[in-house]
Amino acid sequence: MNASDLNALRLPGQPHLHWRGAELWMDGVRLSDLATRFGTPLFVYSKASMLSALAAYQRAFAGRKARVCYAMKANSSLGLLNVFHQAGCGFDIVSGGELERALAVGAPPASIIFSGVGKSRDEMRRALQVGIGCFNVESVGELRALNEVAQSLDRVAPVSLRVNPDVDAQTHPYISTGLKGNKFGIAHRDALAVYQLAASLPGLKVVGIDCHIGSQITIVGPYLDAMDRVLDLVQAIEAAGIPIEHIDFGGGLGIQYQDESPPGADDVWAQLFARMDARGFGQRAVMIEPGRSLVGNAGVCLTQVMYLKPGEQKNFCIVDAAMSELPRPALYQAYHHIVPLQQLAANAQGQMWDVVGPVCESGDWIGRDRALAVQDGDVLAVLSAGAYCMSMASNYNTRPRPAEVLVDGDTARLIRPRETLAQVLAGETI
Ligand SMILES: *Cc1c(COP(=O)(O)O)cnc(C)c1O
């Protein structure tokens, strides 16, 4: 193997990364300069990439009553939230902590949707006090709790019920959420009865219906099936005298990590709107909650090779990033493409490596059996690291969390400094 096969030019799903000569750039910034300036491991995001992913949804939504609420659990760093807020998005949140993040970037509370199966009464209270747009409720118990909290504050809570359309999103079991055996949502056959209960409770006002069938979905079929199931319910609920102002269709659209070819957001929504039009729902307000598809391919994680450890059965390339900031391989056996920031000369010798982190777990790997021409000290880019990486980062092994940089054209701005050990230890006592 020689280096031109190895450090392949291939950059799946990455229009904002490109080679200039032998070096990898993001938009107008050379990535190796950022590694030198800010250290590694380092997350780097392209603002242009985020906005172009959003534009695909906006194209499909032109002339419609539709709003994008960015699902911030994919990546909740304030610097990224601000980009989406400035671009007109609302937010989908799943905790009181995420509510404070949305407020911190100046999001109008009415543009915030509160999802999740386990909202606490404290979280409900704060969300009611600031006046969020909608609670997506997932159980009868939660409905009753929200009613009590709202009445105790002398308020009326706007609610949608998250219904489970019972369609198979054909994705990884840990990120599939729309099937019967799942903890999420209210069963399709119970939905009408729960809507009738909701409509009878004085502290609640029914405003919509919600579903979210899973994540990293790469085909349109499950979405179309879910839309039909949801529209059937809307008809039944409205026939029972309960108006549904908006349909919240969740998120879940996949991205290209390796050789997937997910449909474009504009294509998916052209088909979904055609279905809604055909069934007479073309004028209904729509909300969506995309996360991964807006940020996943906007981010890379830069990590330096610490040691090369060739072995009898496997060669290990030990890098300074780990499952503590790149948890998806350990959690879902996920694939992230890995490329060196500098391609070696065409005659460089390379071989197969398992790229692993320093954390003391055999599950701490980032890529297996990768053909790479690498040397100690090289910096690698782990691609498609914008979603469900930094937002899931932990301090396992007492590792401070990485820094984050936002690239805007040819400028790069630190949006989160590297965490210090003092910050990690703060608050603990002997
Ligand atoms: C996670 C989640 C999303 C976002 O999912 P993506 O796959 O990142 O688009 C949207 N809505 C709800 C309720 C979620 O739990």
Side-chain angles (χ1 to χ4, degrees), residues 134-409:
C134 189
F135 291 85
N136 288 345
V137 173
E138 302 212 16
S139 65
V140 170
E142 184 193 343
L143 207 56
R144 294 192 187 280
L146 182 59
N147 177 56
E148 283 171 25
V149 174
Q151 284 191 291
S152 75
L153 294 173
D154 229 354
R155 304 221 173 197
V156 175
V159 297
S160 259
L161 298 188
R162 174 168 174 182
V163 299
N164 188 336
D166 197 24
V167 301
D168 186 355
Q170 296 181 37
T171 182
H172 189 283
Y174 283 10
I175 51 177
S176 181
T177 57
L179 275 168
K180 272 184 188 149
N182 204 279
K183 75 172 176 181
F184 295 104
I186 291 166
H188 194 269
R189 66 184 172 92
D190 300 336
L192 179 56
V194 183
Y195 264 101
Q196 282 167 325
L197 171 65
S200 75
L201 295 174
L204 306 181
K205 176 175 194 294
V206 170
V207 295
I209 191 167
D210 165 53
C211 82
H212 171 72
I213 57 173
S215 201
Q216 185 56 16
I217 297 167
T218 54
I219 48 177
V220 184
Y223 278 123
L224 291 168
D225 292 347
M227 180 60 86
D228 274 328
R229 303 270 293 165
V230 167
L231 294 181
D232 291 347
L233 271 179
V234 174
Q235 277 168 335
I237 295 161
E238 294 197 322
I242 304 168
I244 299 291
E245 291 165 24
H246 76 251
I247 297 173
D248 176 345
F249 209 59
L253 186 59
I255 62 168
Q256 185 182 7
Y257 286 99
Q258 188 172 10
D259 45 20
E260 305 89 340
S261 44
D266 39 0
D267 178 21
V268 171
W269 274 95
Q271 295 190 50
L272 287 170
F273 281 131
R275 188 67 58 103
M276 291 178 71
D277 290 344
R279 293 190 54 174
F281 287 97
Q283 298 306 307
R284 199 61 57 114
V286 170
M287 288 179 196
I288 55 162
E289 309 163 349
R292 187 192 314 270
S293 56
L294 292 181
V295 292
N297 270 336
V300 299
C301 181
L302 305 185
T303 181
Q304 188 164 36
V305 176
M306 304 175 73
Y307 303 106
L308 293 176
K309 186 176 169 186
E312 232 169 85
Q313 291 192 346
K314 286 248 171 195
N315 300 316
F316 291 101
C317 170
I318 300 163
V319 298
D320 62 3
M323 64 189 286
S324 44
E325 45 275 328
L326 293 169
R328 299 186 62 260
L331 267 177
Y332 324 110
Q333 273 100 51
Y335 179 94
H336 285 272
H337 206 57
I338 302 172
V339 290
L341 296 191
Q342 244 132 16
Q343 298 182 69
L344 297 184
N347 60 358
Q349 282 301 302
Q351 46 195 323
M352 301 300 282
W353 297 96
D354 274 16
V355 180
V356 302
V359 162
C360 298
E361 295 278 342
S362 295
D364 181 30
W365 56 275
I366 294 165
R368 286 185 164 146
D369 299 319
R370 302 301 175 84
L372 291 168
V374 279
Q375 300 166 335
D376 285 357
D378 282 358
V379 179
L380 309 178
V382 179
L383 308 189
S384 310
Y388 302 107
C389 292
M390 188 62 182
S391 60
M392 286 181 153
S394 77
N395 293 122
Y396 188 41
N397 282 203
T398 308
R399 291 166 53 84
R401 286 175 299 166
E404 294 179 292
V405 166
L406 183 64
V407 167
D408 184 0

Side-chain angles (χ1 to χ4, degrees), residues 119-141:
K119 304 171 194 77
S120 72
R121 286 171 188 250
D122 281 346
E123 289 174 322
M124 292 172 177
R125 206 166 287 124
R126 171 77 173 143
L128 280 166
Q129 277 163 345
V130 302
I132 67 154
C134 189
F135 291 85
N136 288 345
V137 173
E138 302 212 16
S139 65
V140 170

